[in-house]
Amino acid sequence: MLSIKNINKQFGHRPVLRDVSLEIGDGELLGLVGPNGSGKSTLLRIVVRVVSCDGGSISWNGNSILNAGADQRRPLLYLGHEPGFYPPLSAAENLLLIAKLYGLEPSPADVEKNLSEVGLDPARSGPIREFSRGMLQRLALAKTLTIPWELLLLDEPTTGLDKQGKSMLSQLIETWRKDDRSLLLVSHDEEWLSSHCDRMVQLSNGRIQRSEVDGEKSVQTELVGEA
Amino acid sequence: MMYKYFGFFLAAFLVISVAICSWIYVIYQQEKELLTELKRLNTSKSEVE
Amino acid sequence: MLAVLVRKDLLIEFRSREILISMITFGAAITLLYAFSFRPSPESMLTFAPGLMWMVFLFVSVLALHRSHSLEKEFDAFSMILSAPVERSVLFISKYLSGFIFLVVAQMVLLPLFFLFLQLPLPANLAQMVAVFLLVDLGISAAGSLLSGIVMRVRVNEMLLPLMLFPMVTPLLISAVKSTASIMDSQPFNQWKLWFQLILSFVIVFSLIGYLIYDYVSEE
Amino acid sequence: MESFHSRQSSKVMAGILAVFWVVVLYLVLNVTRIDPDQQMAQKIFYYHVPSAWVAGLGYLVVMFAGVLYLTKKDEKWDHLGLAAAELGTLFCALVLITGPIWAKPIWGAPWSWEPRLTTVLIMFLIYIGYFMVRNFGDEGERTRRISAVLGIAAFFNVPIIYVSVKFWAADAQLHPQPAMSQQSPDVFWTFMLSLLVFTLLFVHLLRFRVHILKLRSIVLGMRYDV
């Protein structure tokens, strides 16, 4: 279970997140919606410690993430807004490298399998600099198949994906949901999110505004107890 | 005051005094501006309330 | 983990060849300019060569240091690394080591060119020369990796990096020039031991600061 | 928040400093002994050395504030660090100006690559970089963090810079290094008083600046208050 407590973040003197508290239960698919600049991406980046925060605490199954060593981040996998790869390397090399950063040694066959599963040609050896936005997004999704995560944090995963890509992503999410895995999805596409998520939380102006269960509006504080 | 090199001493002393005084003047002005803005923000805040 | 990260930097460089090619061509160009502006003769050059040499390497290293962090930003691979279970201190050491390797490789090409173009006699004690060069390169990349990590997310960082780096490494540059001059003058080690110690302390101080503090620098 | 000098203690301090500034000037001009060679130029020393001391003190404070900011993450340590860096650099500049004014008549040339001069110059350049980082960086938490790191790195570099420059310019070590304890009491006590006045001035200006930075932070925060 991920629990985020009283996170505050300012950029300069502009508050981006104000006292944000959130919990994601085991096997829960939580959607985070909000207009541009509401702090969704920043919250995600704080959880995986790409961005520092000004106060508050974050823990995974009771272990603090914020003031701990790198190993505490291992259960979390973050797919950011940007693809997060090295442009001069090929798709397979990028995947292999990331796997190694998580201490894994996948065989080339595994990597190829994951690449074809997201609809990329595993034989293609050129640098990913030549990839389109959609192809990069598919490659990013291949990370979720390569690395054994316990909580997946996805930031606008539909960006640049074509119709097929979108339905592939939806399929992936449905499989994860069936397998009871925990996900934190961020998108401004409320409709798309609500078709997948168990629960949705709206962030606006850096504050949690409202949350819904299956379309039913209720107050966030009531939900924390449930989760 | 007819000693040699008096000009050099005077120059050094004036540089230091003027620099420190200008420094104080600059930050003093800054403080004044900030206090005015604080007052303005406070009144507009209480008007909203 | 350290080996993975360093190998990654080397593989990227092997694929793109951006850093080394720009370092070497830029270094060769400055060396050529030196040759044209000083019309070298072996006697006169001995006095100035060590200083000119280290100026070239310092300029050249800025290219590598800047590129190694800007490459991380291109597709935001840096966020990927930061979110991965990799200690930031290890990340610093990896940047430090790969910067060092690039500098050494560039020097292996540029140094012969430098001696050739400026008509310098080879120093008698090559082992000393190599030791001093390796140590100074460590110092440049330690301070440089820390500083390029610091300025990487600041605007106009390509200009800020040399502005921060050059004054910071003055003690290193002085010591490097002095010890190189002593070696080329075939002086015994005892006479320039102090310079060697200064280089060593610079390397230690900046490696330690970087190792301990990079965590605070890396997060956005 | 009120203005800094509306506090009674600040007013008193400012008054004391103003009076003692004049007292030091009087002592320097009329009481202290005249050096037979350097005459009035020697008296620059009563201002030059305390400036150098304050500059060093400023950078020391920057270092400690940096360490405290990194460990405690409290904005007030960043305010202290920035204020000290500004003052340190101001006095650094004064050292770099008064030094050549003295050196022109005494050494015959305003600049020489003398170790202390050179070290101060390098420190000054490093801090120019520090302020560029602060200006070009956003006003975020990261800028505060990296400034703290720069302050710490710069400080630990000082001894290395000093030693290297000292041995680099072994032939240019003309800098007078009089032992203060061997001076006549008029010189000694005037110098000590000047040192004290400069130190108190530093503390006073530091507190003034920190006060303003705190005020500024409140005002900037209120602009976004909804």
Side-chain angles (χ1 to χ4, degrees), chain A residues 86-88, chain C residues 12 18 66-75:
Chain A
Y86 291 100
Chain C
I12 290 172
E18 285 171 4
H66 177 250
R67 188 66 198 143
S68 91
H69 270 103
S70 68
L71 187 87
E72 300 279 351
K73 279 201 309 185
E74 209 170 328
F75 278 9

Side-chain angles (χ1 to χ4, degrees), chain C:
Chain C
M1 191 51 61
L2 181 62
V4 172
L5 287 167
V6 174
R7 219 176 303 144
K8 168 213 82 181
D9 283 342
L10 297 185
L11 179 66
I12 290 172
E13 178 54 22
F14 181 71
R15 282 293 141 74
S16 62
R17 299 194 180 83
E18 285 171 4
I19 295 177
L20 280 174
I21 287 185
S22 48
M23 282 173 100
I24 290 168
T25 34
F26 183 58
I30 308 182
T31 311
L32 215 61
L33 285 183
Y34 282 164
F36 291 144
S37 24
F38 296 116
R39 183 87 200 281
S41 62
E43 310 80 58
S44 68
M45 264 338 265
L46 262 179
T47 336
F48 299 111
L52 297 177
M53 199 187 298
W54 281 110
M55 297 271 285
V56 174
F57 296 143
L58 199 56
F59 290 155
V60 156
S61 66
V62 171
L63 295 178
L65 292 167
H66 177 250
R67 188 66 198 143
S68 91
H69 270 103
S70 68
L71 187 87
E72 300 279 351
K73 279 201 309 185
E74 209 170 328
F75 278 9
D76 203 16
F78 206 61
S79 296
M80 182 270 291
I81 290 215
L82 289 184
S83 68
V86 177
E87 296 291 349
R88 277 79 197 262
S89 44
V90 177
L91 188 57
F92 169 73
I93 303 282
S94 83
K95 283 275 157 224
Y96 173 11
L97 283 185
S98 52
F100 169 73
I101 293 171
F102 292 145
L103 194 51
V104 170
V105 173
Q107 271 174 352
M108 288 189 331
V109 181
L110 288 173
L111 213 53
L113 271 183
F114 198 91
F115 275 85
L116 187 73
F117 284 173
L118 300 187
Q119 302 175 357
L120 293 165
L122 277 179
N125 198 332
L126 271 177
Q128 280 182 347
M129 184 98 160
V130 170
V132 165
F133 268 67
L134 291 181
L135 209 56
V136 176
D137 291 352
L138 276 180
I140 293 178
S141 31
S145 305
L146 178 63
L147 289 173
S148 66
I150 284 176
V151 300
M152 75 178 280
R153 288 191 228 257
V154 181
R155 274 183 297 140
V156 293
N157 55 36
E158 63 283 355
M159 183 192 78
L160 263 180
L161 177 60
L163 274 177
M164 292 295 325
L165 183 68
F166 292 165
M168 276 290 192
V169 297
T170 31
L172 184 68
L173 185 84
I174 294 173
S175 321
V177 170
K178 285 288 182 179
S179 28
T180 310
S182 309
I183 295 170
M184 288 176 71
D185 202 25
S186 302
Q187 284 177 19
F189 179 68
N190 262 340
Q191 298 229 330
W192 52 275
K193 201 171 80 190
L194 186 103
W195 298 117
F196 192 79
Q197 288 164 342
L198 270 172
I199 298 172
L200 204 62
S201 45
F202 188 91
V203 171
I204 292 168
V205 164
F206 273 89
S207 306
L208 267 180
I209 293 181
Y211 184 82
L212 294 174
I213 268 176
Y214 198 68
D215 191 16
Y216 298 104
V217 170
S218 51
E219 271 173 47
E220 215 170 278

Side-chain angles (χ1 to χ4, degrees), chain D residues 45 74 183 205 208 212 223:
Chain D
F45 148 93
D74 189 335
Q183 300 292 333
L205 288 180
F208 189 15
I212 291 172
R223 280 185 193 161

Side-chain angles (χ1 to χ4, degrees), chain D residues 70-82:
Chain D
L70 289 184
T71 48
K72 300 250 158 61
K73 264 201 170 180
D74 189 335
E75 206 184 343
K76 76 177 178 197
W77 297 119
D78 178 66
H79 292 160
L80 181 68
L82 176 57

